[in-house]
Amino acid sequence: GAVVSQHPSRVICKSGTSVKIECRSLDFQATTMFWYRQFPKKSLMLMATSNEGSKATYEQGVEKDKFLINHASLTLSTLTVTSAHPEDSSFYICSASLGNEQFFGPGTRLTVL
Amino acid sequence: QKEVEQNSGPLSVPEGAIASLNCTYSDRVSQSFFWYRQYSGKSPELIMSIYSNGDKEDGRFTAQLNKASQYVSLLIRDSQPSDSATYLCAVREGTALIFGKGTTLSVSS
């Protein structure tokens, strides 16, 4: 149990385009999901907390208009990186809460050319 | 600023030895603590959660919590090369987790 999937696992896009990443809890319902990014050899950085049916809560320094989060159902949250630039290239990972624990998706590696 | 501190390592142990990973946290009222394992290029995987003072064992893993001293540790017995990874300590704050920067463990065969 407690499986979280992400799609796509890897994406390469041109600068200026938008990229949507999906995060799904496969065998449980998650009222709260989280989005992280991780640069090489660095720790996880929480970007935002996504609550089903309400607006996401963004961490300080994270642009909400650039990183659009939608949590339309109890099993799906999406992160859209709008007008992506090379500095947005990173490893994006979602997680979902089940009880007191968080389970991570496999991550999406974004490369912006 | 609530913080979770870990020694970045690398911690090198021979196969079969006990690996000891330590973590300290700044928020005295924290109640929930987690250890995640992250292989290079992969996402974190939950290994252990601990909420009460003392030891919690799961297979080769033992988590230890001392709230008075504000530290939590992870012991890995009979270390295997496949245990080589970065181990992240996390402390729950509200609904979110605060992560340490991780300790890199290298188990040599």
Side-chain angles (χ1 to χ4, degrees), chain B residues 34-92:
Chain B
F34 308 88
W35 282 100
Y36 287 83
R37 176 176 62 198
Q38 186 175 25
Y39 292 112
S40 181
K42 303 294 184 182
S43 67
E45 172 192 8
L46 180 64
I47 300 176
M48 297 276 288
S49 57
I50 186 166
Y51 310 110
S52 304
N53 278 328
D55 295 359
K56 179 182 178 182
E57 187 174 319
D58 184 359
R60 295 187 295 113
F61 299 98
T62 299
Q64 299 174 318
L65 175 61
N66 184 323
K67 292 183 181 180
S69 300
Q70 294 175 237
Y71 87 79
V72 57
S73 63
L74 179 70
L75 301 178
I76 306 175
R77 289 182 300 281
D78 188 24
S79 296
Q80 302 297 309
S82 59
D83 294 326
S84 299
T86 296
Y87 289 80
L88 302 170
C89 172
V91 177
R92 186 181 179 93

Side-chain angles (χ1 to χ4, degrees), chain A residues 47-48 55-70 79-82:
Chain A
M47 299 175 65
K55 291 183 179 180
T57 303
Y58 290 82
E59 295 299 303
Q60 191 172 8
V62 177
E63 299 176 60
K64 62 180 181 181
D65 295 330
K66 181 167 184 62
F67 299 100
L68 301 178
I69 292 173
N70 183 279
L79 168 67
T80 301
V81 183
T82 62

Side-chain angles (χ1 to χ4, degrees), chain B residues 1-48:
Chain B
Q1 180 90 13
K2 294 166 184 170
E3 295 181 340
V4 177
E5 300 284 346
Q6 293 181 257
N7 187 323
S8 62
L11 173 65
S12 297
V13 301
E15 184 175 359
I18 296 175
S20 178
L21 304 159
N22 300 311
C23 170
T24 59
Y25 58 95
S26 63
D27 190 352
R28 183 171 294 278
V29 301
S30 296
Q31 296 292 322
S32 303
F33 308 87
F34 308 88
W35 282 100
Y36 287 83
R37 176 176 62 198
Q38 186 175 25
Y39 292 112
S40 181
K42 303 294 184 182
S43 67
E45 172 192 8
L46 180 64
I47 300 176
M48 297 276 288

Side-chain angles (χ1 to χ4, degrees), chain A residues 6 32 34 36 38 42-44 46 49 51 59 91 93 97 99-107 109, chain B residues 31-34 36 38 41-46 48-49 51 56 88 92 95-97 99-102:
Chain A
Q6 264 183 259
T32 305
F34 304 86
Y36 296 83
Q38 187 176 35
K42 299 294 184 182
S43 189
L44 295 163
L46 178 65
T49 301
N51 294 296
E59 295 299 303
F91 191 41
I93 316 173
S97 284
N100 205 30
E101 298 175 342
Q102 273 190 39
F103 297 91
F104 284 83
R109 192 163 301 281
Chain B
Q31 296 292 322
S32 303
F33 308 87
F34 308 88
Y36 287 83
Q38 186 175 25
K42 303 294 184 182
S43 67
E45 172 192 8
L46 180 64
M48 297 276 288
S49 57
Y51 310 110
K56 179 182 178 182
L88 302 170
R92 186 181 179 93
T95 59
L97 294 178
F99 283 89
K101 294 184 178 180

